[in-house]
Amino acid sequence: MENKRIFTKQYIAVLIFTIGAVVAFFVMKPEKKAFFKAQGDVWTTEYHITYEATTDLSDSIGAVLDAIDRSANVFNKQSLVSRLNANSTNRADSTFMRMFRCAVDINKQSAGAYDPTVMPLVNAWGFGYKNGKLPTQTEIDSLLTFVGIAKVHLEDERVVKSDQRIQFDFSSIAKGLACDEVAQMLARNGVTNCMVEIGGEVVVKGVNEKGTPWHISIDMPVENNQATVHESALVIALNGKAVATSGNYRKFKEVNGKKVSHIVNPLTGKSEESTLLSATIVAPDCMTADAWATACMAMGTERTQALFEKRTDLGVMTISTDTEGNFIVWSNAPFAALLPK
């Protein structure tokens, strides 16, 4: 009888262990990853996102884009930036403060070429949320009196303006920030391989579906105001970095046979006229790349190349034109290193 009781206890112990192992196998078995794609329209442009995950994260992507829209979209009358522009609030959220601090930094580094308080001038030239006629020099001079990010500062979470007519336009930085925020959300959900692209601004991490590095095509500045034309100038390989391109070849209008660019120089108040057709920036984050690409368009070819020729923290490529209309491609060493061997 004693031997029988011992056998029974051993049998039960083995049975319990076996059941536990089976349960653990199914509970702890890693879920299979697959590549998902999300795409749609946002802020009058398209987004395309590819990521490797165990589940579809489209709802989370949408939530991130909605949060950026509620804070930074100047065309959304209920957004925070619209309410700050209308002086119906002076309270900033975390998104606004991130954009503001980045803008202040790049404004200083670019000697004022980048400035998100250019909104009144953008409206005056007919590229903002108001369809204004072309401004006179007197009107430009009047608007310039309250343009300048140095006229604004943050006190805790309050936005303090020296002039209530100051208005913000973060269109040149919001898409880049949105790319960063989506990539960070994906990372929190265990994603290590992804490509986030919103209106041409891109963040990539890891590898693509083929297990190879992400290759990003940089467009030639093909002039077309009616449709987006993609003609590749060159391709770069990226991992863990962001790239943004700004140009005057897509968003412009013609007045009396003359092209008027949407790039408004915050120092002169005028639509920028330059031999620089496009500027592409590679940076650790897309918000920085986005802002610098706009700054370069305001600085022009010579100032951009002089500033970035010896800098190693950012990759820069410019496409300009000569007097005969030929394209001239220039890049600094960090950008050239990204070209596939």
Side-chain angles (χ1 to χ4, degrees):
M1 292 294 292
E2 185 67 24
N3 289 339
K4 185 177 182 180
R5 284 197 297 270
I6 293 174
F7 174 80
T8 302
K9 289 177 181 179
Q10 292 174 336
Y11 176 80
I12 293 173
V14 171
L15 181 62
I16 292 174
F17 175 81
T18 303
I19 293 173
V22 171
V23 171
F25 174 79
F26 285 103
V27 172
M28 299 177 65
K29 182 181 178 181
E31 295 181 74
K32 187 176 181 181
K33 287 187 175 182
F35 274 89
F36 294 83
K37 296 181 185 294
Q39 61 184 41
D41 298 318
V42 64
W43 310 315
T44 69
T45 190
E46 297 179 348
Y47 67 86
H48 302 86
I49 301 168
T50 302
Y51 58 97
E52 186 183 30
T54 58
T55 187
D56 188 339
L57 297 169
S58 296
D59 288 346
S60 297
I61 292 171
V64 171
L65 297 180
D66 287 344
I68 300 294
D69 183 85
R70 290 193 300 272
S71 181
N73 185 3
V74 72
F75 296 98
N76 177 355
K77 293 182 179 180
Q78 302 305 315
S79 72
L80 174 63
V81 73
S82 292
R83 289 183 285 121
L84 286 167
N85 286 348
N87 297 308
S88 62
T89 185
N90 66 354
R91 292 290 176 179
D93 62 10
S94 60
T95 297
F96 179 91
M97 289 189 287
R98 283 183 64 190
M99 293 188 299
F100 183 85
R101 287 166 179 151
C102 178
V104 168
D105 181 46
I106 295 176
N107 174 268
K108 291 178 180 177
Q109 292 187 56
S110 65
Y114 180 77
D115 199 315
T117 66
V118 76
M119 185 79 257
L121 288 164
V122 173
N123 279 332
W125 284 95
F127 292 105
Y129 57 80
K130 293 182 180 179
N131 294 317
K133 62 183 186 300
L134 299 189
T136 64
Q137 186 60 52
T138 299
E139 291 169 332
I140 291 172
D141 291 340
S142 176
L143 293 172
L144 281 171
T145 62
F146 54 91
V147 169
I149 201 167
K151 299 179 174 72
V152 186
H153 68 277
L154 296 176
E155 288 184 3
D156 296 324
E157 296 182 355
R158 291 191 307 117
V159 179
V160 181
K161 304 178 183 179
S162 63
D163 189 313
Q164 292 301 296
R165 294 174 296 174
I166 293 172
Q167 294 185 326
F168 304 100
D169 178 11
F170 286 105
S171 300
S172 59
I173 205 171
K175 287 189 299 180
L177 175 60
C179 288
D180 292 332
E181 289 286 287
V182 169
Q184 289 168 16
M185 178 278 294
L186 293 174
R188 290 194 299 270
N189 283 275
V191 173
T192 56
N193 300 315
C194 67
M195 186 278 293
V196 181
E197 181 263 327
I198 303 176
E201 325 302 10
V202 183
V203 172
V204 297
K205 294 182 179 181
V207 296
N208 60 25
E209 293 176 79
K210 297 179 180 179
T212 59
W214 297 96
H215 286 74
I216 306 300
S217 175
I218 309 299
D219 283 351
M220 286 291 291
V222 178
E223 192 172 283
N224 194 316
N225 200 24
Q226 304 300 319
T228 299
V229 178
H230 295 293
E231 183 177 318
S232 182
L234 49 80
V235 175
I236 57 176
L238 286 184
N239 181 7
K241 293 185 178 181
V243 60
T245 298
S246 183
N248 60 14
Y249 54 95
R250 283 181 183 157
K251 192 176 180 182
F252 62 88
K253 59 184 178 181
E254 292 187 7
V255 179
N256 299 325
K258 182 179 180 180
K259 187 175 79 169
V260 178
S261 169
H262 76 288
I263 303 294
V264 178
N265 190 319
L267 299 174
T268 66
K270 296 182 179 180
S271 170
E272 185 62 23
E273 297 181 23
S274 170
T275 60
L276 185 59
L277 301 178
S278 70
T280 299
I281 307 292
V282 176
D285 65 277
C286 204
M287 179 169 61
T288 297
D290 206 0
W292 264 121
T294 300
C296 290
M297 293 305 302
M299 290 191 296
T301 306
E302 293 182 1
R303 282 187 62 197
T304 295
Q305 293 178 2
L307 179 63
F308 288 105
E309 185 174 13
K310 295 183 179 180
R311 284 185 63 164
T312 59
D313 56 328
L314 300 174
V316 182
M317 183 191 76
T318 63
I319 301 179
S320 56
T321 183
D322 62 17
T323 55
E324 297 180 356
N326 299 309
F327 289 145
I328 302 172
V329 179
W330 173 91
S331 68
N332 65 358
F335 189 94
L338 300 170
L339 297 173
K341 301 299 187 288

